[in-house]
Amino acid sequence: MLFSLLLSGTALVPSGPAQAADVVYPAGSHIGLVPPPGMTASAGFPGFEDRDRKAVIVLSQVPGDAYEQFLKSMNSGAINIPGVSNAKRELMLTENGAAHLVVGDQEAEGVKFRKWLMITRRTITSNDTDMAFSFIVTAQVPVEAREIYSEEVIRKALSSVVLRAAIPPQEILDQLPFRLTERANFEGVKLIVPGRAVMLTERDRGAPADDEAIVMISVGGGAPTRPDERASFAQNVLRTIQGFNNLRLLSQESMRIGGQPGYEIRLEGQSIENRDVVIVQWMRFGGGGFVRMVGVSPKASWPENFMRFREVRDGINARE
């Protein structure tokens, strides 16, 4: 089970110094907390660490069904977590609501750890946002560091967990393996998959309206190296697009994009709300991977939005 893996997984290894007094959000994360003195935000995973003492706190957003699975397990009375002994569970009161907490001991690679796993669901509601998050916070402290990271210190950090509705756009973009130097007046940047996929929207708040253009940019692996396989690969990827009906092919062609092999496909069809739309997909290939960009525009504003899509496409550059 997901929560079992997070609690019983192999010991995590950290990377950096520091001390914090206020809520800190790891880069690209909706989840934040007040880390214990001695821990700082990690550059290697969403959470906090004390590299010297090998103590970590990991923040993980999980699907809603994983949360429900956890609750069922808790209600059944069983705590069966491989590799963890002396496991105990309780309802923990945090500064922002109740959460479920499991505490236990573990030994991994000859090191004995104390582990805490807190799982909860929170909702953010405002004029622009209505989001529900299920997430797990896992703390792991070697026995040798328990005087510094005591039960009281860790519980205080766990109880400080909060959510933020929006992540600063540049913070999201900084996590991508490429630089985006042109957004063509798309003000919103929304995280789809951390470090792998983003969406650009007309506005920086709220969900995109049906009459607004959007751009989705992502990276992936497993791309073909043979030129004669790229067209079918791009077509197969585009078939996974959802939320549109009656899609028809307008054109497709191979081209150079940013000095690398690329492929363009254009479609037209209707959105779920039956608005006529035009869709363009560009894929840029290199090194066994690809950068994919999909622009969606209402048909009535396609000419001007297509020019904006091209500006964004041409502003995708490798990090130096």
Side-chain angles (χ1 to χ4, degrees):
M1 297 171 73
L2 177 59
F3 71 89
S4 300
L5 294 174
L6 286 169
L7 186 59
S8 64
T10 303
L12 298 164
V13 181
S15 69
Q19 181 163 341
D22 300 315
V23 172
V24 178
Y25 295 90
S29 175
H30 283 282
I31 312 164
L33 55 74
V34 180
M39 286 196 190
T40 185
S42 171
F45 59 86
F48 306 89
E49 60 186 350
D50 179 336
R51 183 176 180 81
D52 293 336
R53 297 183 177 90
K54 296 183 172 60
V56 299
I57 296 177
V58 183
L59 312 178
S60 307
Q61 189 175 339
V62 298
D65 56 355
Y67 177 77
E68 298 299 334
Q69 184 185 42
F70 181 88
L71 290 187
K72 288 180 182 178
S73 174
M74 293 284 283
N75 292 335
S76 72
I79 309 179
N80 183 19
I81 305 173
V84 175
S85 59
N86 304 317
K88 297 181 180 179
R89 63 184 183 181
E90 63 184 85
L91 190 65
M92 179 180 183
L93 296 179
T94 74
E95 295 175 10
N96 294 284
H100 298 277
L101 180 69
V102 175
V103 183
D105 299 313
Q106 180 185 15
E107 183 170 347
E109 299 180 359
V111 179
K112 294 182 179 179
F113 292 90
R114 185 68 168 168
K115 301 196 81 167
W116 296 258
L117 180 147
M118 185 182 78
I119 183 167
T120 187
R121 176 183 287 167
R122 300 279 166 80
T123 300
I124 301 175
T125 303
S126 69
N127 291 335
D128 302 308
T129 305
D130 187 2
M131 297 185 295
F133 287 90
S134 299
F135 58 92
I136 292 177
V137 182
T138 304
Q140 172 180 287
V141 175
V143 171
E144 292 80 1
R146 286 190 63 187
E147 287 189 11
I148 297 171
Y149 299 110
S150 64
E151 188 86 18
E152 180 182 0
V153 167
I154 295 298
R155 284 175 177 263
K156 183 178 179 180
L158 296 180
S159 70
S160 70
V161 167
V162 293
L163 297 179
R164 58 177 172 177
I167 303 171
Q170 195 57 48
E171 187 176 310
I172 295 174
L173 296 175
D174 286 344
Q175 306 307 303
L176 297 172
F178 54 81
R179 293 184 301 115
L180 185 60
T181 58
E182 178 55 67
R183 284 164 49 189
N185 294 322
F186 286 100
E187 296 183 1
V189 179
K190 301 185 183 302
L191 183 67
I192 299 178
V193 180
R196 292 189 58 191
V198 297
M199 177 190 294
L200 306 185
T201 59
E202 296 283 15
R203 296 169 291 113
D204 62 353
R205 297 288 176 138
D210 188 48
D211 61 349
E212 295 177 340
I214 61 170
V215 177
M216 292 169 283
I217 308 170
S218 60
V219 296
T225 55
R226 291 177 48 182
D228 61 344
E229 295 177 343
R230 290 175 185 144
S232 60
F233 182 84
Q235 293 162 5
N236 289 335
V237 171
L238 188 53
R239 288 192 182 100
T240 65
I241 197 168
Q242 298 180 353
F244 304 96
N245 301 313
N246 304 318
L247 291 175
R248 300 173 296 281
L249 179 66
L250 292 177
S251 65
Q252 57 181 327
E253 63 177 314
S254 60
M255 59 175 58
R256 302 290 291 182
I257 301 176
Q260 294 180 301
Y263 203 83
E264 176 191 283
I265 301 176
R266 300 189 202 183
L267 305 174
E268 66 176 4
Q270 284 80 44
S271 66
I272 292 178
E273 293 81 5
N274 289 321
R275 183 180 296 275
D276 290 337
V277 297
V278 182
I279 301 170
V280 60
Q281 173 186 272
W282 287 292
M283 298 193 75
R284 189 171 80 187
F285 301 98
F290 63 86
V291 177
R292 180 194 185 204
M293 176 176 156
V294 177
V296 181
S297 169
K299 190 172 183 178
S301 54
W302 166 252
E304 54 266 39
N305 283 328
F306 179 69
M307 298 303 295
R308 297 170 69 199
F309 296 158
R310 288 185 58 179
E311 290 178 33
V312 174
R313 181 199 70 187
D314 295 339
I316 299 173
N317 299 291
R319 291 195 179 277
E320 298 177 355

